[in-house]
Structure formats: structure tokens, C-alpha cells
Amino acid sequence: MKPKAMIRTMVIMKTADILKAMEITDELAKRMGFLPRDCLFLRLATEEACTNAYEYCQKTRRLPFRIFWKIDARQFMIIVKQRGGCFSVAQTDAINTGSRGRGLQLIAHIVDAVYVKRAGNNVLFCMCKCKK
């Protein structure tokens, strides 16, 4: 029998919640058996995704937003769900020297798959790291 996926969720209302989300990511990544380096990078991806969502939601008065973690035997999904407009993310090797906009590129290089999809009035920013 195939093991069931585990799902965990959290509401983000303030910056302290982002720190808690990073801790949860680290805990779950360790439980899955990721190497310490990968755990650190997944924490960073969580921080970047949540900070982007927090800044957008605060500016547009759409707080709170949610983060979900979905784990099965082979992959670790982190999903940030917020209300608002869709955006795109693509992995590129171009160097961004601007003052903003490097977080999504950083995330794209950390995880194995990243995509954005619309779900009604919400946008889901999905990050997937596979267990090798």
C-alpha cells in the first residue's frame, strides 16, 4: 500500500509568521531526509516566497495569505496561496543587478519545479523539491 501524502497549512498574518513557516519547512525537510544544505535552501525559498506574498498582500490590503506543505515519499511541495493578480516565473541565467526581483530567480534555482497557477480569485505559487 502506498503511503498517504501529508499536508500541513498555516495562515500568515505578520512577519513573525514567516519565521515560523521557515521553521516548519526546515522540520519537514529534515523529516523527509533532505541534506542540511537542501534544508537551508528550502528555508530560504520559503522566506522569499512568503516575503514576496506578504509585501504584496500588505500593500494591496489582502492579508492574510496561506502556505501549504504537501509531502509524499518522493517530493516536497510548498504552496503559497494569496489573493491577487497572476505573475510569471521562469528560470534564467541572466544576472539581475537591480535592487529587487532576484527572489523568484533564486527560488527557481533552488527547487526542481516552480509554477504559478490561478485558482479563482487566488494565485498559487508552487515549489517542488524531489527526493533523489
Side-chain angles (χ1 to χ4, degrees), residues 77-79 87 89 111 113-117 124-128:
M77 292 279 304
I78 304 168
I79 303 164
F87 57 93
V89 62
V111 298
V114 61
Y115 59 93
V116 180
K117 74 179 192 181
L124 304 177
F125 180 60
C126 305
M127 302 166 278
C128 180

Side-chain angles (χ1 to χ4, degrees), residues 32-93:
M32 270 192 81
F34 282 105
L35 296 173
R37 179 180 186 268
D38 289 329
C39 294
L40 176 64
F41 283 137
L42 288 166
R43 276 181 71 102
L44 180 58
T46 299
E47 179 183 23
E48 285 294 330
C50 286
T51 298
N52 286 348
Y54 182 81
E55 288 175 355
Y56 174 79
C57 291
Q58 186 179 43
K59 183 174 68 173
T60 59
R61 301 184 195 279
R62 293 180 172 161
L63 283 171
F65 65 93
R66 295 183 82 81
I67 182 169
F68 300 85
W69 297 268
K70 182 180 176 192
I71 297 169
D72 63 30
R74 295 177 24 147
Q75 71 178 9
F76 185 19
M77 292 279 304
I78 304 168
I79 303 164
V80 175
K81 179 181 178 184
Q82 68 187 61
R83 290 176 301 194
C86 210
F87 57 93
S88 64
V89 62
Q91 188 170 352
T92 178
D93 290 326

